[in-house]
Amino acid sequence: MTTAPAAGPARTDAATGDAAEPALRCTDLTYSFGETRAVDGLNLEVAQGEVFGLLGPNGAGKTTAIRAITTLLPVPTGKISVFGLDCARRRMQVRRLLGYVPQQLSADSGLTGRENVELFARVFDVPRSERRDRVDEALTAVDLTEAAGRLAGTYSGGMVRRLELAQALVSAPRLLILDEPTIGLDPLARASVWDCIAQVRAGTGMTVLVTTHYMDEADEHCHRLALMHRGRIQAMGAPGELRADLAAQLGADPDRVSLEDVFRHHAGAGLTGADRPDEGGDFRDVRRTRSAARLR
Ligand SMILES: Nc1ncnc2c1ncn2[C@@H]1O[C@H](COP(=O)(O)OP(=O)(O)OP(=O)(O)O)[C@@H](O)[C@H]1O
Ligand SMILES: [Mg+2]
């Protein structure tokens, strides 16, 4: 896996980025699909080594922001840099620093676990001489060594998600981006995904940007959170700070304010019908969930 960020004096390196720069900086990022402004002036900084959670209701713009950060969408307005490298001008270098587990299914049910990870190793240019070791390491990191020879189509939902994690880890990313990594998993499978992430972080110092709809996970695993709604960040801070801020605002006991309360407060609970057009997702969301279910 990747090594921890270099210590010592700041430097700019075309391959690894700048040790003094944040892992991610988005400045006034805006992205529209036709009339729909999915991301609307997003400003965000994720420090190196941090686990940062992007929260928000269905349609908030989280996946769109992530697709721009991973260079899968062009950025018409604003700027994104990863370890100081500009995503628009240094696209290929940025891609080499990133691991990405997308919201939609990224494993092939007709390949074995090992073949899926090998495919990603080739796509991400892992040197041929290192490939076998790196694939082994990635499979070990997600506890799939024994199941590696089985078709992914026979895996449980939790194993599929861990396989996708191995696919993203095989390139030894410095910034791992996970779009709803635990959606639809049972509590044990969810915990094992987070255990894998924690172990890799402990060994490498990798930075993590994650989206989730599970507030308990955000509370437990993220150092800082941003709450996004309608393309904009409504609140940002450590989970405890967000709870304390809302408690102070409401004059409530901080111990009785949950992250779910914070989510409801900032994501416009109480709005219904025409006021909340994105409620519950759309066809794309349903199709995503179903395709994941099929592989399971
Ligand atoms: N390919 C697309 N074409 C048109 N509109 C899109 C497209 N992708 C996203 N949108 C719209 O952009 C907005 C933001 O969607 P996005 O998928 O980024 O939200 P999200 O926060 O990831 O939601 P979820 O929690 O459901 O995954 C929504 O209004 C969505 O309908
Ligand atoms: Mg999404």
Side-chain angles (χ1 to χ4, degrees):
M1 297 298 122
T2 189
T3 49
R11 64 195 170 84
T12 303
D13 184 312
T16 60
D18 191 328
E21 287 285 335
L24 172 67
R25 180 184 283 135
C26 298
T27 312
D28 297 329
L29 176 64
T30 297
Y31 193 92
S32 299
F33 295 101
E35 299 286 293
T36 307
R37 190 168 284 203
V39 179
D40 190 8
L42 181 73
N43 288 295
L44 189 67
E45 256 189 45
V46 178
Q48 295 196 22
E50 198 170 32
V51 178
F52 192 96
L54 197 53
L55 309 181
N58 293 128
K62 305 179 297 294
T63 296
T64 306
I66 279 179
R67 290 178 64 211
I69 293 164
T70 53
T71 78
L72 296 174
L73 288 177
V75 181
T77 313
K79 188 176 168 187
I80 306 173
S81 60
V82 169
F83 296 100
L85 298 174
D86 186 330
C87 285
R89 291 187 295 121
R90 313 286 283 278
R91 200 153 152 242
M92 291 320 289
Q93 283 111 313
V94 166
R95 284 188 177 190
R96 288 198 187 97
L97 299 175
L98 297 179
Y100 174 39
V101 178
Q103 185 167 352
Q104 76 275 18
L105 193 59
S106 60
D108 186 332
S109 62
L111 298 179
T112 65
R114 173 175 292 279
E115 286 166 346
N116 269 294
V117 180
E118 281 169 352
L119 182 65
F120 273 71
R122 282 202 298 277
V123 169
F124 281 91
D125 270 346
V126 174
R128 187 185 283 265
S129 59
E130 294 175 26
R131 253 180 235 160
R132 179 185 270 269
D133 285 350
R134 293 268 286 275
V135 169
D136 283 342
E137 272 175 31
L139 287 164
T140 305
V142 300
D143 201 15
L144 280 179
T145 306
E146 274 178 36
R150 270 169 49 195
L151 288 181
T154 69
Y155 283 12
S156 67
M159 291 166 82
V160 171
R161 241 17 198 158
R162 282 189 279 126
L163 175 60
E164 293 179 287
L165 201 51
Q167 292 171 176
L169 290 172
V170 76
S171 59
R174 290 184 66 198
L175 171 59
L176 179 66
I177 300 182
L178 306 158
D179 199 352
E180 299 191 29
T182 53
I183 194 154
L185 302 185
D186 70 52
L188 289 177
R190 283 167 56 189
S192 79
V193 166
W194 281 107
D195 283 349
C196 294
I197 296 167
Q199 272 183 30
V200 175
R201 283 193 62 250
T204 64
M206 177 178 72
T207 308
V208 176
L209 173 66
V210 60
T211 75
T212 179
H213 288 297
Y214 298 118
M215 295 301 118
D216 56 333
E217 291 186 356
D219 218 346
E220 187 179 343
H221 300 289
C222 296
H223 299 120
R224 281 194 312 137
L225 302 169
L227 226 142
M228 205 172 165
H229 186 37
R230 294 192 171 137
R232 290 171 174 267
I233 290 190
Q234 309 291 337
M236 185 152 37
E241 282 169 8
L242 291 173
R243 285 197 307 271
D245 286 353
L246 181 61
Q249 214 174 316
L250 301 177
D253 178 350
D255 291 336
R256 297 182 72 93
V257 172
S258 69
L259 206 52
E260 242 171 81
D261 295 326
V262 175
F263 184 95
R264 266 195 289 271
H265 181 78
H266 292 289
L271 300 182
T272 54
D275 289 335
R276 180 102 196 266
D278 293 326
E279 188 169 37
D282 56 15
F283 185 81
R284 288 177 312 112
D285 302 308
V286 175
R287 192 168 53 196
R288 272 184 220 123
T289 313
R290 300 242 168 107
S291 62
R294 259 206 311 277
L295 183 66
R296 284 202 293 279

